[in-house]
Amino acid sequence: METFQKPTESELEILKILWQMGRATVKQVNEEINKTKEAGYTTTLKIMQIMFEKGLVARNAEGKQHIFEAKVGEEDTQKSLLNRFIDSTFQGNAMSLVMQALGNHHTSEEELSQLKQLIATLENQAPTKGDDLGN
C-alpha cells in the first residue's frame, strides 16, 4: 500500500470535485471551482499535475483531453486527515476532540440522537471482561 500523501487545501478541494463527478477534465474541475471562487485554468492544471505526481489522481488520455479521477478514496482520506489532526492537536485523544467540538457547538436533538446511537453501537462492539484472551 502506498504511503498517504496529505493533500493541501487546494488539492482537497479538487479531490472533493472528483469524488462528486467521478471523472473530469481540468476544464470541468476549473469550472466547478469557479462557482465558488475565482481560479485560473493554468493554476488548476498545475495543481492537478502535482496531484498526479503525488499519486492522488490518475490521468488518462482520451483523444486530446486528459481525464482525471481520484486515486484516493473519500472516506480513507477523511480518516487519515482526522487521525493526523487528532494526533497533532489532541495528542491522540479522540475524546478531547469530541468534548471540544460539543462544547463549542450547539448540538441539536438529532445530533444527540445520532451520538447516542453511535455510543450504543460502540458499547455493543466493546469486549467484556470475560472476553480477555487470558481467560
Side-chain angles (χ1 to χ4, degrees):
M1 184 173 169
E2 293 180 23
T3 304
F4 177 76
Q5 291 284 328
K6 180 182 173 188
T8 65
E9 282 188 44
S10 296
E11 291 169 346
L12 190 56
E13 182 178 16
I14 291 169
L15 282 171
K16 288 177 186 177
I17 292 167
L18 291 174
W19 290 327
Q20 180 184 9
M21 297 180 78
R23 301 171 39 156
T25 63
V26 175
K27 181 181 179 194
Q28 291 169 318
V29 170
N30 187 253
E31 287 171 353
E32 285 298 311
I33 292 170
N34 278 295
K35 289 180 180 179
T36 57
K37 69 177 189 179
E38 190 174 330
Y41 175 87
T42 55
T43 301
T44 302
L45 173 63
K46 182 63 179 169
I47 293 169
M48 292 178 76
Q49 288 171 335
I50 292 169
M51 293 173 71
F52 174 73
E53 292 168 8
K54 289 172 77 172
L56 296 172
V57 297
R59 179 179 63 199
N60 298 305
E62 292 184 9
K64 293 183 179 182
Q65 294 185 351
H66 283 217
I67 308 296
F68 289 82
E69 61 186 306
K71 278 184 68 176
V72 294
E74 182 174 11
E75 190 174 318
D76 290 341
T77 301
Q78 290 170 343
K79 284 180 183 178
S80 183
L81 290 172
L82 181 59
N83 286 338
R84 285 180 183 216
F85 179 73
I86 291 170
D87 288 345
S88 65
T89 307
F90 295 94
Q91 292 74 43
N93 187 335
M95 179 55 84
S96 293
L97 167 68
V98 171
M99 297 303 289
Q100 185 73 27
L102 291 175
N104 290 338
H105 172 73
H106 172 72
T107 308
S108 70
E109 290 295 323
E110 182 180 342
E111 289 170 325
L112 286 174
S113 177
Q114 290 173 343
L115 282 170
K116 288 175 186 174
Q117 285 179 313
L118 176 61
I119 290 168
T121 300
L122 292 173
E123 285 176 338
N124 288 334
Q125 293 174 354
T128 60
K129 286 186 179 183
D131 290 342
D132 291 346
L133 293 176
N135 292 339

